[in-house]
Amino acid sequence: VVVVVVRLLRTMDLTSVEGEVVKKVVKTGRTRITRPPRFGDNVTIKYKLENATSGEVLYDGFEDDHSLPFVFTLGCGHVFKAMELTVGTMFPGEIATIKFKPHAAEGLLLSFMYSEGCETDDTAQLKCKLSLLYVERRGDVVDKGQRGERVEKCLEIKRLTVDLIKEDCVEHAIAAYEYCINLLQLDVDDNDKDVDSLVSTMYSNIAVCQRKLGKLNESYLAACHALEYCAENMKALYHKAVCLQEKKEFQAAIRVCDIGIKVDSSNKVLKKIRQRCKSEYEKEHKDEMKMYKKMFNDRSQK
């Protein structure tokens, strides 16, 4: 992707292999003391997405002061291509609008934002209003004295993200948790158990979100990451066991439940999952034995 950085132009043609993307600057950002974000930087934005052809508002996180800003890592495919291309040309504090064709929105995580007209009509145009609020530079050296501030920031994002999950904005929630994980891992000591515990919580929350999206493998991996940071994270053990159960890996699920029950012998939920997995495994084993017995008898008769 070729990202053209233009400081002074009010209107920019960002047409590329992703399709026609035209950007118009509404408010100039802080161009003298900063630079646009680069791939690998964490960015925080607010935006509004609408069908420019019909006027239908598909998502509005721009006007509402109570809406949670959207955070993502530039260049990692977390957002649709037209947005990623545009954010790479913006300065912190800048407000801009872009117009683009629906095919330039490939990779849009929040597919529910699409209107039916945009999906079926190639002549339709989408319009997005963006505000770049903050850029966390990749490789920036952060003063260790700011660690408490970063933790508080992540705790606040964690609290706000609960509302996103309730509103089914699950992809936004995942991006927010990933942003917090990246922030917490900046120059943190290996023995900082409080931070490790918080990172583990973020990963277990990602596991919840991935399960809501029906992505068992991703949920399982997130739960495993959570347990790497805190082996006694009961929420992560639960989701790991459930994923294994739904994948019909009953013996592995039983072993995970045993680990959790050893940590908390009063955990009724894990005990229930273990019992179900044990019953399913015994049933599956019994069916296999019947099948093998039938195959053996058939061969004997021949």
Side-chain angles (χ1 to χ4, degrees), residues 105-142:
E106 290 180 6
L108 181 63
L109 288 175
L110 302 182
S111 57
F112 64 85
M113 291 180 187
Y114 271 126
S115 66
E116 186 177 348
C118 289
E119 289 183 301
T120 58
D121 185 0
D122 290 337
T123 64
Q125 266 200 329
L126 293 174
K127 181 180 179 181
C128 187
K129 185 177 183 181
L130 295 154
S131 174
L132 180 58
L133 304 176
Y134 182 72
V135 178
E136 185 85 45
R137 307 292 180 191
R138 181 182 181 183
D140 278 359
V141 178
V142 181

Side-chain angles (χ1 to χ4, degrees), residues 1-5 12-21 37-40 74-89 103-104 106:
V1 178
V2 179
V3 179
V4 183
V5 180
M12 298 168 60
D13 186 351
L14 301 178
T15 299
S16 68
V17 292
E18 282 76 17
E20 297 177 3
V21 181
R38 298 170 183 168
F39 281 5
L74 195 67
C76 291
H78 291 158
V79 297
F80 55 94
K81 295 174 183 178
M83 178 183 284
E84 191 160 78
L85 187 68
T86 305
V87 172
T89 70
H103 59 262
E106 290 180 6

Side-chain angles (χ1 to χ4, degrees), residues 176-188:
Y177 291 135
E178 289 175 343
Y179 170 77
C180 289
I181 290 169
N182 291 332
L183 194 62
L184 289 168
Q185 290 177 331
L186 290 172
D187 65 55
V188 173

Side-chain angles (χ1 to χ4, degrees), residues 19-236:
E20 297 177 3
V21 181
V22 178
K23 170 190 171 186
K24 189 173 184 179
V25 177
V26 177
K27 177 185 175 184
T28 306
R30 300 185 291 276
T31 59
R32 292 185 179 180
I33 59 174
T34 59
R35 61 163 174 80
R38 298 170 183 168
F39 281 5
D41 290 347
N42 292 321
V43 296
T44 304
I45 66 170
K46 277 194 172 186
Y47 70 98
K48 177 180 180 180
L49 184 65
E50 60 183 295
N51 184 335
T53 306
S54 66
E56 177 188 2
V57 176
L58 308 175
Y59 174 78
D60 191 354
F62 190 92
E63 305 294 343
D64 185 3
D65 292 333
H66 300 289
S67 65
L68 181 70
F70 182 38
V71 289
F72 66 95
T73 303
L74 195 67
C76 291
H78 291 158
V79 297
F80 55 94
K81 295 174 183 178
M83 178 183 284
E84 191 160 78
L85 187 68
T86 305
V87 172
T89 70
M90 297 178 71
F91 292 86
E94 181 178 323
I95 298 175
T97 60
I98 54 171
K99 287 187 178 181
F100 53 96
K101 299 290 185 181
H103 59 262
E106 290 180 6
L108 181 63
L109 288 175
L110 302 182
S111 57
F112 64 85
M113 291 180 187
Y114 271 126
S115 66
E116 186 177 348
C118 289
E119 289 183 301
T120 58
D121 185 0
D122 290 337
T123 64
Q125 266 200 329
L126 293 174
K127 181 180 179 181
C128 187
K129 185 177 183 181
L130 295 154
S131 174
L132 180 58
L133 304 176
Y134 182 72
V135 178
E136 185 85 45
R137 307 292 180 191
R138 181 182 181 183
D140 278 359
V141 178
V142 181
D143 189 342
K144 290 186 178 182
Q146 298 176 358
R147 184 178 304 170
E149 183 181 333
R150 295 200 304 273
V151 170
E152 286 301 318
K153 181 179 179 180
C154 289
L155 289 172
E156 178 63 20
I157 291 175
K158 178 174 172 285
R159 285 190 289 268
L160 293 171
T161 306
V162 174
D163 293 331
L164 286 177
I165 297 174
K166 289 179 180 178
E167 296 170 6
D168 289 331
C169 298
V170 183
E171 291 88 352
H172 272 76
I174 292 172
Y177 291 135
E178 289 175 343
Y179 170 77
C180 289
I181 290 169
N182 291 332
L183 194 62
L184 289 168
Q185 290 177 331
L186 290 172
D187 65 55
V188 173
D189 293 337
D190 292 335
N191 297 322
D192 195 329
K193 293 183 178 180
D194 290 337
V195 172
D196 284 350
S197 177
L198 186 53
V199 171
S200 180
T201 299
M202 296 295 178
Y203 271 121
S204 60
N205 289 346
I206 290 175
V208 176
C209 294
Q210 296 289 16
R211 275 197 68 221
K212 281 180 173 288
L213 295 174
K215 298 180 179 180
L216 288 182
N217 290 333
E218 289 81 354
S219 179
Y220 173 79
L221 289 174
C224 289
H225 286 314
L227 293 169
E228 289 174 3
Y229 285 89
C230 180
E232 298 182 354
N233 184 330
M234 299 304 293
K235 189 176 182 180

